[in-house]
mmCIF file of all heavy atoms in Angstrom:
data_model
loop_
_atom_site.group_PDB
_atom_site.id
_atom_site.type_symbol
_atom_site.label_atom_id
_atom_site.label_comp_id
_atom_site.label_asym_id
_atom_site.label_seq_id
_atom_site.Cartn_x
_atom_site.Cartn_y
_atom_site.Cartn_z
ATOM 1 N N LEU A 126 -57.620 -51.428 -83.701
ATOM 2 C CA LEU A 126 -58.886 -51.408 -84.377
ATOM 3 C C LEU A 126 -60.024 -51.815 -83.287
ATOM 4 O O LEU A 126 -61.117 -51.330 -83.464
ATOM 5 C CB LEU A 126 -58.937 -52.393 -85.542
ATOM 6 C CG LEU A 126 -57.973 -52.076 -86.685
ATOM 7 C CD1 LEU A 126 -58.031 -53.130 -87.767
ATOM 8 C CD2 LEU A 126 -58.430 -50.743 -87.421
ATOM 9 N N LEU A 127 -59.716 -52.608 -82.373
ATOM 10 C CA LEU A 127 -60.716 -53.007 -81.374
ATOM 11 C C LEU A 127 -61.168 -51.809 -80.667
ATOM 12 O O LEU A 127 -62.333 -51.579 -80.379
ATOM 13 C CB LEU A 127 -60.130 -54.104 -80.635
ATOM 14 C CG LEU A 127 -61.082 -54.880 -79.640
ATOM 15 C CD1 LEU A 127 -62.155 -55.700 -80.640
ATOM 16 C CD2 LEU A 127 -60.382 -55.939 -78.831
ATOM 17 N N GLY A 128 -60.147 -50.909 -80.290
ATOM 18 C CA GLY A 128 -60.489 -49.666 -79.593
ATOM 19 C C GLY A 128 -61.458 -48.803 -80.406
ATOM 20 O O GLY A 128 -62.293 -48.136 -79.977
ATOM 21 N N VAL A 129 -61.146 -48.738 -81.702
ATOM 22 C CA VAL A 129 -61.885 -47.922 -82.660
ATOM 23 C C VAL A 129 -63.355 -48.352 -82.629
ATOM 24 O O VAL A 129 -64.290 -47.542 -82.565
ATOM 25 C CB VAL A 129 -61.412 -48.001 -84.028
ATOM 26 C CG1 VAL A 129 -62.274 -47.179 -85.064
ATOM 27 C CG2 VAL A 129 -59.985 -47.292 -84.096
ATOM 28 N N ILE A 130 -63.567 -49.635 -82.726
ATOM 29 C CA ILE A 130 -64.956 -50.195 -82.808
ATOM 30 C C ILE A 130 -65.639 -49.956 -81.416
ATOM 31 O O ILE A 130 -66.880 -49.628 -81.489
ATOM 32 C CB ILE A 130 -64.902 -51.688 -83.176
ATOM 33 C CG1 ILE A 130 -64.433 -51.850 -84.574
ATOM 34 C CG2 ILE A 130 -66.308 -52.344 -83.071
ATOM 35 C CD1 ILE A 130 -64.240 -53.333 -85.059
ATOM 36 N N GLN A 131 -64.931 -50.162 -80.379
ATOM 37 C CA GLN A 131 -65.598 -49.905 -79.073
ATOM 38 C C GLN A 131 -65.965 -48.471 -78.897
ATOM 39 O O GLN A 131 -67.042 -48.162 -78.366
ATOM 40 C CB GLN A 131 -64.643 -50.332 -78.040
ATOM 41 C CG GLN A 131 -64.381 -51.835 -78.004
ATOM 42 C CD GLN A 131 -63.304 -52.228 -76.948
ATOM 43 O OE1 GLN A 131 -62.617 -51.466 -76.266
ATOM 44 N NE2 GLN A 131 -63.228 -53.621 -76.761
ATOM 45 N N VAL A 132 -65.191 -47.487 -79.358
ATOM 46 C CA VAL A 132 -65.451 -46.108 -79.293
ATOM 47 C C VAL A 132 -66.672 -45.865 -80.142
ATOM 48 O O VAL A 132 -67.596 -44.994 -79.704
ATOM 49 C CB VAL A 132 -64.326 -45.221 -79.678
ATOM 50 C CG1 VAL A 132 -64.636 -43.800 -79.653
ATOM 51 C CG2 VAL A 132 -63.130 -45.439 -78.509
ATOM 52 N N MET A 133 -66.685 -46.326 -81.340
ATOM 53 C CA MET A 133 -67.809 -46.149 -82.271
ATOM 54 C C MET A 133 -69.173 -46.680 -81.605
ATOM 55 O O MET A 133 -70.178 -46.024 -81.774
ATOM 56 C CB MET A 133 -67.541 -46.951 -83.614
ATOM 57 C CG MET A 133 -66.728 -46.024 -84.627
ATOM 58 S SD MET A 133 -66.799 -46.606 -86.301
ATOM 59 C CE MET A 133 -66.207 -48.264 -86.158
ATOM 60 N N THR A 134 -69.020 -47.878 -81.009
ATOM 61 C CA THR A 134 -70.231 -48.463 -80.251
ATOM 62 C C THR A 134 -70.751 -47.481 -79.162
ATOM 63 O O THR A 134 -72.024 -47.196 -79.146
ATOM 64 C CB THR A 134 -69.884 -49.751 -79.675
ATOM 65 O OG1 THR A 134 -69.418 -50.659 -80.759
ATOM 66 C CG2 THR A 134 -71.052 -50.376 -79.080
ATOM 67 N N CYS A 135 -69.877 -46.907 -78.472
ATOM 68 C CA CYS A 135 -70.404 -45.931 -77.427
ATOM 69 C C CYS A 135 -71.019 -44.683 -77.996
ATOM 70 O O CYS A 135 -71.998 -44.291 -77.551
ATOM 71 C CB CYS A 135 -69.109 -45.554 -76.581
ATOM 72 S SG CYS A 135 -68.419 -47.027 -75.574
ATOM 73 N N CYS A 136 -70.353 -44.117 -79.079
ATOM 74 C CA CYS A 136 -70.848 -42.964 -79.679
ATOM 75 C C CYS A 136 -72.151 -43.176 -80.354
ATOM 76 O O CYS A 136 -73.089 -42.424 -80.264
ATOM 77 C CB CYS A 136 -69.872 -42.410 -80.668
ATOM 78 S SG CYS A 136 -68.400 -41.721 -79.956
ATOM 79 N N PHE A 137 -72.293 -44.357 -81.098
ATOM 80 C CA PHE A 137 -73.577 -44.689 -81.801
ATOM 81 C C PHE A 137 -74.657 -45.032 -80.810
ATOM 82 O O PHE A 137 -75.855 -44.877 -81.091
ATOM 83 C CB PHE A 137 -73.284 -45.907 -82.751
ATOM 84 C CG PHE A 137 -72.354 -45.603 -83.859
ATOM 85 C CD1 PHE A 137 -71.832 -46.648 -84.672
ATOM 86 C CD2 PHE A 137 -72.040 -44.294 -84.155
ATOM 87 C CE1 PHE A 137 -71.016 -46.308 -85.638
ATOM 88 C CE2 PHE A 137 -71.105 -43.984 -85.135
ATOM 89 C CZ PHE A 137 -70.689 -45.007 -86.007
ATOM 90 N N ALA A 138 -74.304 -45.523 -79.578
ATOM 91 C CA ALA A 138 -75.316 -45.816 -78.540
ATOM 92 C C ALA A 138 -76.048 -44.507 -78.113
ATOM 93 O O ALA A 138 -77.173 -44.456 -77.792
ATOM 94 C CB ALA A 138 -74.718 -46.543 -77.352
ATOM 95 N N GLU A 139 -75.275 -43.419 -78.061
ATOM 96 C CA GLU A 139 -75.877 -42.162 -77.738
ATOM 97 C C GLU A 139 -76.553 -41.432 -78.839
ATOM 98 O O GLU A 139 -77.551 -40.763 -78.682
ATOM 99 C CB GLU A 139 -74.766 -41.179 -77.224
ATOM 100 C CG GLU A 139 -74.121 -41.638 -75.892
ATOM 101 C CD GLU A 139 -73.030 -40.609 -75.443
ATOM 102 O OE1 GLU A 139 -72.838 -39.643 -75.999
ATOM 103 O OE2 GLU A 139 -72.460 -40.900 -74.348
ATOM 104 N N SER A 140 -76.084 -41.536 -80.046
ATOM 105 C CA SER A 140 -76.687 -41.019 -81.231
ATOM 106 C C SER A 140 -76.586 -41.918 -82.410
ATOM 107 O O SER A 140 -75.508 -42.052 -83.024
ATOM 108 C CB SER A 140 -75.957 -39.650 -81.547
ATOM 109 O OG SER A 140 -76.491 -39.111 -82.624
ATOM 110 N N PRO A 141 -77.568 -42.721 -82.668
ATOM 111 C CA PRO A 141 -77.524 -43.673 -83.774
ATOM 112 C C PRO A 141 -77.223 -43.032 -85.025
ATOM 113 O O PRO A 141 -77.826 -41.884 -85.491
ATOM 114 C CB PRO A 141 -78.969 -44.301 -83.778
ATOM 115 C CG PRO A 141 -79.491 -44.051 -82.421
ATOM 116 C CD PRO A 141 -78.904 -42.812 -82.002
ATOM 117 N N PRO A 142 -76.330 -43.539 -85.920
ATOM 118 C CA PRO A 142 -75.870 -42.958 -87.187
ATOM 119 C C PRO A 142 -76.859 -43.164 -88.374
ATOM 120 O O PRO A 142 -76.675 -42.400 -89.322
ATOM 121 C CB PRO A 142 -74.483 -43.592 -87.456
ATOM 122 C CG PRO A 142 -74.699 -44.918 -86.904
ATOM 123 C CD PRO A 142 -75.548 -44.847 -85.696
#
Side-chain angles (χ1 to χ4, degrees):
L126 294 175
L127 199 59
V129 172
I130 297 177
Q131 291 174 353
V132 173
M133 278 198 296
T134 302
C135 296
C136 294
F137 294 166
E139 295 182 0
S140 177

